[in-house]
Amino acid sequence: MKNKKLYILAILAIAFSSCKKELDEVNINPNAPEVAQPDYLLTGTTKATVDTYWGVTNNMNSSLLFAQQWAKVQYTEEDRFIYSNSSFTALWSTGYAQSIAGFNKIIELGDAQGNANYKGVALVLRSWTFLLLTDAYGDIPYSQAGKIKQFVTPVYDKQKDVYYGILNDLKSAQATLDPAGKAIAGDVIYSNNIASWKKFANSLRLRIALRIADKDLAKAKQVIDEIKAEGGAFLSSNSESAVLKYDVSPQQNPVAASFETRNDYRISKTIVDKLNSLNDPRLPVYASRTENQPQGYVGIPNGSTNSEASAIGLANSSKPGVYFLDAKAPAVIFSYAELLFDRAEAAARGFIAEDAEDLYKQAIRASFLQYNIGGTVVEDYIKQSGVVYSTANYKKSIGEQKWIALFGQGLEAWAEQRRLDYPQLTASVNTVLNGKIPVRFIYPGTEQSLNGQNYKNAVSSQGADLLTTKLWFDAF
C-alpha cells in the first residue's frame, strides 16, 4: 500500500513538472529577446531620465520657480511654495526605479558582453542621476541603491559621502571608457562617441569639485589635480555640450508638450529685469513678446497670488521664448558655457593656473553662441560695468552670469544659486516660508511608509524634512 502511494505521488510530480515546463514555454514571447539589449536599454533609460530632469515637476513647477527664471501666471500655489510630501516624487521614483536600475543593468550587460564602453557610459549617467538626487534632497540612498535583491530598504548615505562616491564612480568611468574599444549603440546624447563621454565625465567631476569646495577645499583641489594628472580633457566647444535633442510629437521636448495643453507658466520678472538692465540680447531668446500691444517682454513677479497674476493677465505677460517652446528644442545637461564658468571659478580659487577673467569672458561668449548670437554685440556686452569681471568678488560675477546662462536648466541653476549665493534673490511676501526660498526638495511621503526607519535616520542626521533645511554643500 505504501509503495502504491509513492508511485502515485511520483506520477503526479512528473505530471506537474511537465505542466510547468509547458506553461513556461507558453509564457515566453517569441518576438521579444529574453535578455535585455544594452543599446535599447541605453536609449530608453537616458530619455526617461532626461524627460524627468527637463519636465514639469522637477523643472517648470519647482526649481525654475526657486531660481526665479520662470514664474506662474495661473494656479500659483507652487510659486508661493505651497507643496505637500507628494509634490516631489517624480525625481525620486524615476531616478531610482528607472534610471539607476536601468543604468545598473547596462553596467551588468557591459561586463557580461565584454564591452567596457557600455559600462563606462552607464556609470557616467548613473553618476549624473545620483547628483541630481543629492543636490535636490540631500542625504539619499546611494551605496545600497538599486540592489533590490540585497537591500529592500536601503540606507540613506550622507550627502558628503554621496558626492565622494560619485567622484570615485566618475574616475572609474573615465578610466574604463576607451575610444579604441568596442563600439556601442543607442547613445542619444553623443551618438556613440566615446571620446566625448570621457570629456563629459571629467566635466562632471569638475562640477562636483566646485560643489564641495566651500566645505572641503582640499578634496576639491585633489579632484582637479587628479584630472590634470590623468591628462584628462573637458568639453571644448558648444558642439560638445551634453544635450538630448528632441523631435516632433510624441518625442517632443517636455516643455513644448506642457504648453500644448496648459498655459500656466511665464518668464520671471526677476530675470526680465536683469536682462533689461544689461541690454542682454538673450532676452528675445528667453522670452516671447506679449500678445497684447504694446508687445514687449513682461515677466510675472514670483510668488504672485492668483488674483495678482490674473490682474497682469495671460496676454500681457511673456511666455518662455519660442526657442524653448519648440518641440525639437534640446534639453541641456551640461553646456560648454557652464564648463568655462567652472574653469573660471577653479582659476579664481587657485585650483588651476589659468586666467579667471579670460575664462569668464569666454563663458559669456559661449552662452551667446549657444543661441547663435555673435559679433560686436557680445563684446560690447562684456565691457559693461554690470558685467565686467570682479576679482574681489568672483562669486558675484560668475554667479550672476552663470545664472543667466543656465536659463531653463532649473535644477542646476537652483543648485548653483544656493552654492554661490548669487544672484541674491528675494522671496515674495505672499510665500509661506517666512521670507525664505526653498533650499531642498522634501522626501516623498512614500519613504515614511516603505523605508521608515532609514527615513527617520536621515532626518535625524540631516535635519527636519522641510523645504528650508540647508544641505551639506550649501555652506553660506
Side-chain angles (χ1 to χ4, degrees), residues 183-233:
I184 65 169
D187 168 21
V188 289
I189 294 178
Y190 281 123
S191 301
N192 313 309
N193 185 323
I194 300 303
S196 294
W197 279 102
K198 290 176 76 70
K199 292 182 179 182
F200 179 33
N202 283 334
S203 300
L204 281 172
R205 291 165 78 186
L206 177 59
R207 177 194 279 184
I208 299 168
L210 295 175
R211 192 83 91 233
I212 67 175
D214 285 332
K215 296 296 296 226
D216 193 339
L217 195 69
K219 177 67 174 179
K221 187 175 187 306
Q222 175 195 329
V223 171
I224 294 170
D225 287 344
E226 286 176 353
I227 297 171
K228 192 188 308 180
E230 295 162 7

Side-chain angles (χ1 to χ4, degrees), residues 151-207:
F151 307 107
V152 178
T153 54
V155 299
Y156 287 58
D157 297 271
K158 293 183 183 297
Q159 183 173 65
K160 174 182 177 180
D161 297 329
V162 177
Y163 284 137
Y164 291 7
I166 297 171
L167 285 168
N168 287 335
D169 289 343
L170 287 168
K171 184 177 180 179
S172 176
Q174 161 67 23
T176 299
L177 290 162
D178 180 7
K182 287 186 178 180
I184 65 169
D187 168 21
V188 289
I189 294 178
Y190 281 123
S191 301
N192 313 309
N193 185 323
I194 300 303
S196 294
W197 279 102
K198 290 176 76 70
K199 292 182 179 182
F200 179 33
N202 283 334
S203 300
L204 281 172
R205 291 165 78 186
L206 177 59
R207 177 194 279 184

Side-chain angles (χ1 to χ4, degrees), residues 105-136:
K105 185 63 177 178
I106 296 168
I107 291 169
E108 178 186 316
L109 291 170
D111 283 336
Q113 297 179 11
N115 191 331
N117 283 329
Y118 273 122
K119 179 177 182 177
V121 168
L123 263 177
V124 174
L125 287 168
R126 190 184 73 178
S127 297
W128 174 59
T129 305
F130 275 126
L131 181 60
L132 295 177
L133 287 162
T134 193
D135 283 347

Side-chain angles (χ1 to χ4, degrees), residues 14 25 91 139 152 178 188 225 271-272 328 334 360 386 448 462:
I14 293 169
E25 289 173 353
L91 182 60
D139 294 359
V152 178
D178 180 7
V188 289
D225 287 344
I271 199 164
V272 169
K328 296 184 178 182
F334 203 125
Y360 168 80
Q448 298 181 43
Q462 179 170 266

Side-chain angles (χ1 to χ4, degrees), residues 318-397:
S318 294
K319 295 179 182 179
V322 173
Y323 175 93
F324 291 91
L325 301 181
D326 187 270
K328 296 184 178 182
V332 181
I333 300 168
F334 203 125
S335 69
Y336 179 49
E338 181 195 340
L339 185 278
L340 288 167
F341 280 122
D342 287 348
R343 284 175 56 195
E345 183 180 344
R349 288 179 178 270
F351 292 158
I352 57 176
E354 295 188 77
D355 187 326
E357 181 176 1
D358 181 61
L359 288 165
Y360 168 80
K361 292 177 180 178
Q362 288 185 49
I364 296 172
R365 294 185 187 107
S367 177
F368 278 56
L369 191 58
Q370 186 175 335
Y371 303 105
N372 297 314
I373 302 171
T376 58
V377 65
V378 183
E379 299 310 311
D380 291 342
Y381 178 87
I382 291 172
K383 294 173 184 176
Q384 293 182 91
S385 60
V387 180
V388 169
Y389 179 76
S390 171
T391 304
N393 193 352
Y394 70 85
K395 283 190 173 183
K396 182 176 187 295
S397 293

Side-chain angles (χ1 to χ4, degrees), residues 17-332:
S17 175
S18 177
C19 288
K20 182 177 183 299
K21 182 179 180 183
E22 289 174 6
L23 286 171
D24 287 345
E25 289 173 353
V26 167
N27 287 325
I28 293 173
N29 181 354
N31 298 313
E34 291 186 52
V35 179
Q37 299 300 307
D39 51 347
Y40 293 114
L41 194 54
L42 179 59
T43 301
T45 308
T46 301
K47 185 177 183 300
T49 307
V50 178
D51 282 352
T52 298
Y53 158 75
W54 200 254
V56 174
T57 304
N58 307 300
N59 198 32
M60 299 162 63
N61 218 32
S62 54
S63 56
L64 281 172
L65 307 179
F66 304 161
Q68 295 189 11
Q69 295 187 345
W70 286 28
K72 296 203 74 175
V73 68
Q74 296 188 104
Y75 313 110
T76 65
E77 286 75 17
E78 291 85 2
D79 213 355
R80 289 179 282 128
F81 314 144
I82 301 172
Y83 293 98
S84 71
N85 63 8
S86 64
S87 298
F88 301 104
T89 59
L91 182 60
W92 189 278
S93 59
T94 301
Y96 283 109
Q98 294 185 53
S99 305
I100 291 166
F103 295 134
N104 279 346
K105 185 63 177 178
I106 296 168
I107 291 169
E108 178 186 316
L109 291 170
D111 283 336
Q113 297 179 11
N115 191 331
N117 283 329
Y118 273 122
K119 179 177 182 177
V121 168
L123 263 177
V124 174
L125 287 168
R126 190 184 73 178
S127 297
W128 174 59
T129 305
F130 275 126
L131 181 60
L132 295 177
L133 287 162
T134 193
D135 283 347
Y137 299 98
D139 294 359
I140 58 167
Y142 166 73
S143 59
Q144 296 180 357
K147 303 172 183 176
I148 192 67
K149 292 181 180 179
Q150 297 172 264
F151 307 107
V152 178
T153 54
V155 299
Y156 287 58
D157 297 271
K158 293 183 183 297
Q159 183 173 65
K160 174 182 177 180
D161 297 329
V162 177
Y163 284 137
Y164 291 7
I166 297 171
L167 285 168
N168 287 335
D169 289 343
L170 287 168
K171 184 177 180 179
S172 176
Q174 161 67 23
T176 299
L177 290 162
D178 180 7
K182 287 186 178 180
I184 65 169
D187 168 21
V188 289
I189 294 178
Y190 281 123
S191 301
N192 313 309
N193 185 323
I194 300 303
S196 294
W197 279 102
K198 290 176 76 70
K199 292 182 179 182
F200 179 33
N202 283 334
S203 300
L204 281 172
R205 291 165 78 186
L206 177 59
R207 177 194 279 184
I208 299 168
L210 295 175
R211 192 83 91 233
I212 67 175
D214 285 332
K215 296 296 296 226
D216 193 339
L217 195 69
K219 177 67 174 179
K221 187 175 187 306
Q222 175 195 329
V223 171
I224 294 170
D225 287 344
E226 286 176 353
I227 297 171
K228 192 188 308 180
E230 295 162 7
F234 298 113
L235 305 179
S236 58
S237 69
N238 277 317
S239 65
E240 292 183 341
S241 295
V243 302
L244 176 63
K245 296 177 181 177
Y246 286 98
D247 208 329
V248 296
S249 179
Q251 305 297 337
Q252 75 269 52
N253 183 303
V255 175
S258 175
F259 272 88
E260 287 174 5
T261 57
R262 300 193 66 87
N263 195 20
D264 301 350
Y265 303 94
R266 291 294 184 267
I267 191 169
S268 167
K269 182 178 185 298
T270 303
I271 199 164
V272 169
D273 289 351
K274 183 65 174 179
L275 296 173
N276 272 327
S277 73
L278 297 174
N279 296 310
D280 196 311
R282 287 169 291 190
L283 179 57
V285 179
Y286 290 179
S288 298
R289 290 186 179 275
T290 58
E291 293 176 17
N292 284 349
Q293 299 290 342
Q295 291 186 314
Y297 301 105
V298 179
I300 293 285
N302 285 99
S304 297
T305 64
N306 284 307
S307 58
E308 288 171 343
S310 178
I312 297 173
L314 298 173
N316 295 315
S317 54
S318 294
K319 295 179 182 179
V322 173
Y323 175 93
F324 291 91
L325 301 181
D326 187 270
K328 296 184 178 182
V332 181

